[in-house]
Amino acid sequence: QILLPQEISEDVSQNEDKIRPQKLDDYIGQKDLKGVLNIAIAAAKQRQESLDHILFYGPPGLGKTTMSLILASEMGVNCKITAAPALERPRDIIGLLVSLQAGDILFIDEIHRLNRVTEELLYPAMEDKRLDITIGKGQSAKIRSIPLQSFTLIGATTKIGSLTSPLRDRFGLIQRLQFYQLDELTEIVKRSAQIFNVNIDSQGAEEIARRSRGTPRITNRLLRRVRDFAQVKGVEQIDQTIASEALDLHNVDRLGLDWTDRLVLSTIIEQFNGGPVGLDAIASATGEDAKTIEEVYEPYLLQIGFINRTHRGRIATEKAQEHLLG
Ligand code: ADP
């Protein structure tokens, strides 16, 4: 679980609120995104309007929720956080929408998973600040419109391709979050270490950063494991050796690959001659779930150029072979 980009309960219980950046200036990396949002904030403030609806997409753990909370605080409004699976019944979304105050942000995670009825309630809400509610059934059914306060919907998704086009078209800004660079992740380690009151040198911070799969959520989790290790060993300052020893113990290799990543790569290389091979064949040969491979392991392996996707299947690259041998 240590390298899972999705949130686990430990992330939430362990000082999550403290390490989450609260201001745009504390939000490390994502330069292009911050540039776009800075303008959007300034323009909305000048016009005294709420922000346009925004769609964030990209892998989990890159800071979509964090950015939404920052936007709310920069705009001086509230942010209500929910996720599509919690909006099963029409009254769930209706309740949320009518409770919003002028300018508030409604953040819906996994927005590609909204059901059709909920999604259709959102269309007039997003477009015309209006809820159209059907009362009664059959021929006697009537539509009643309820006016809403102006609000900003922020949707987050890992799968932009699964969004319907009517929903996608209603977002004024569609922004992709990128995996983080090594220097940015190193900065995140240093910032979180300060909050945790942990003494770490630059090489130690960089070692954790290098193994965190471009993902701040993983960075913070690895830092917590290294902190435990250093504490038990009675080490005053975490350096590269301590960070490496601690993470080796958790089977996180020097590029942030774990046992399953290595199994997936070695299976493609050894059993399928390096590929191309289909996802299902990889799944059955490794005993892993195809969806898990696709959603959890593959994005990072693609990002670092260890896997290529072709129309005939996945190929393991030479870089991957060298890493496994090294
Ligand atoms: P997502 O919503 O994309 O899954 P989150 O916003 O929950 O990701 O971010 C996961 C964690 O990573 C946050 O708790 C936060 O502490 C950290 N984090 C994310 N982005 C940044 C950033 N740009 N700078 C510093 N920390 C970050």
Side-chain angles (χ1 to χ4, degrees):
Q1 271 202 331
I2 193 167
L3 292 176
L4 201 71
Q6 280 84 1
E7 196 166 67
I8 56 172
S9 57
E10 192 214 37
D11 298 327
V12 184
S13 59
Q14 296 258 335
N15 286 331
E16 170 76 6
D17 287 344
K18 277 200 219 147
I19 53 172
R20 230 190 242 287
Q22 314 279 331
K23 289 184 288 192
L24 208 52
D25 285 342
D26 296 335
Y27 191 94
I28 295 158
Q30 307 291 348
K31 205 164 142 266
D32 294 347
L33 173 75
K34 282 195 292 189
V36 167
L37 294 177
N38 251 325
I39 296 288
I41 293 169
K45 276 188 176 167
Q46 276 173 9
R47 291 197 302 264
Q48 298 188 321
E49 286 176 359
S50 48
L51 284 168
D52 265 345
H53 304 303
I54 306 172
L55 181 65
F56 289 139
Y57 71 100
L62 297 190
K64 297 183 283 297
T65 313
T66 306
M67 182 54 93
S68 307
L69 290 165
I70 289 176
L71 287 176
S73 102
E74 296 278 339
M75 292 297 295
V77 299
N78 306 304
C79 182
K80 292 211 165 160
I81 296 186
T82 186
L87 301 173
E88 221 168 84
R89 300 156 305 179
R91 69 164 186 256
D92 299 325
I93 189 71
I94 293 170
L96 269 173
L97 286 170
V98 298
S99 75
L100 296 176
Q101 293 170 25
D104 278 359
I105 291 178
L106 175 62
F107 176 82
I108 305 183
D109 206 1
E110 299 182 70
I111 195 157
H112 61 277
R113 292 176 61 187
L114 285 179
N115 62 47
R116 212 195 46 169
V117 175
T118 303
E119 186 171 320
E120 284 175 1
L121 281 165
L122 274 178
Y123 297 160
M126 291 173 79
E127 215 155 327
D128 300 320
K129 296 182 262 174
R130 192 185 83 225
L131 257 177
D132 290 339
I133 299 175
T134 314
I135 297 165
K137 278 192 181 142
Q139 287 199 328
S140 61
K142 282 198 190 99
I143 292 184
R144 221 186 104 200
S145 280
I146 301 174
L148 295 169
Q149 299 283 359
S150 83
F151 71 101
T152 300
L153 179 69
I154 302 186
T157 179
T158 51
K159 294 182 162 185
I160 181 127
S162 303
L163 240 71
T164 65
S165 51
L167 182 59
R168 207 179 45 229
D169 292 347
R170 284 174 169 80
F171 289 98
L173 289 168
I174 300 185
Q175 293 290 311
R176 180 195 175 124
L177 279 90
Q178 312 280 356
F179 280 115
Y180 289 68
Q181 302 292 324
L182 183 63
D183 58 335
E184 296 163 348
L185 294 166
T186 306
E187 218 182 308
I188 291 175
V189 176
K190 289 180 177 168
R191 181 179 171 275
S192 300
Q194 236 172 15
I195 296 167
F196 285 157
N197 232 336
V198 167
N199 190 355
I200 187 164
D201 72 11
S202 287
Q203 284 78 19
E206 194 175 309
E207 192 57 41
I208 296 176
R210 195 175 302 114
R211 299 186 190 214
S212 33
R213 304 173 79 92
T215 306
R217 176 173 290 135
I218 299 177
T219 309
N220 287 330
R221 211 182 281 149
L222 297 187
L223 174 63
R224 288 198 294 264
R225 294 292 73 82
V226 174
R227 173 181 64 167
D228 290 351
F229 185 85
Q231 183 188 318
V232 171
K233 298 274 172 191
V235 173
E236 292 242 322
Q237 191 186 47
I238 296 166
D239 59 10
Q240 187 172 15
T241 312
I242 290 296
S244 302
E245 274 179 36
L247 297 175
D248 287 346
L249 190 69
H250 285 278
N251 227 326
V252 179
D253 80 10
R254 58 184 205 288
L255 282 185
L257 306 195
D258 70 2
W259 189 83
T260 310
D261 294 296
R262 293 192 292 270
L263 177 67
V264 166
L265 292 172
S266 62
T267 303
I268 302 176
I269 294 166
E270 286 157 22
Q271 292 193 35
F272 300 100
N273 253 329
V277 52
L279 184 62
D280 289 332
I282 302 172
S284 60
T286 55
E288 280 291 332
D289 171 50
K291 212 167 148 231
T292 309
I293 294 179
E294 190 175 25
E295 290 177 14
V296 177
Y297 294 99
E298 202 173 61
Y300 183 65
L301 295 174
L302 285 165
Q303 162 74 14
I304 59 173
F306 275 23
I307 282 186
N308 281 335
R309 264 167 87 158
T310 70
H311 62 280
R312 288 169 51 224
R314 275 73 174 167
I315 294 174
T317 63
E318 236 169 75
K319 238 169 124 182
Q321 303 211 17
E322 281 163 19
H323 180 71
L324 287 190
L325 292 173

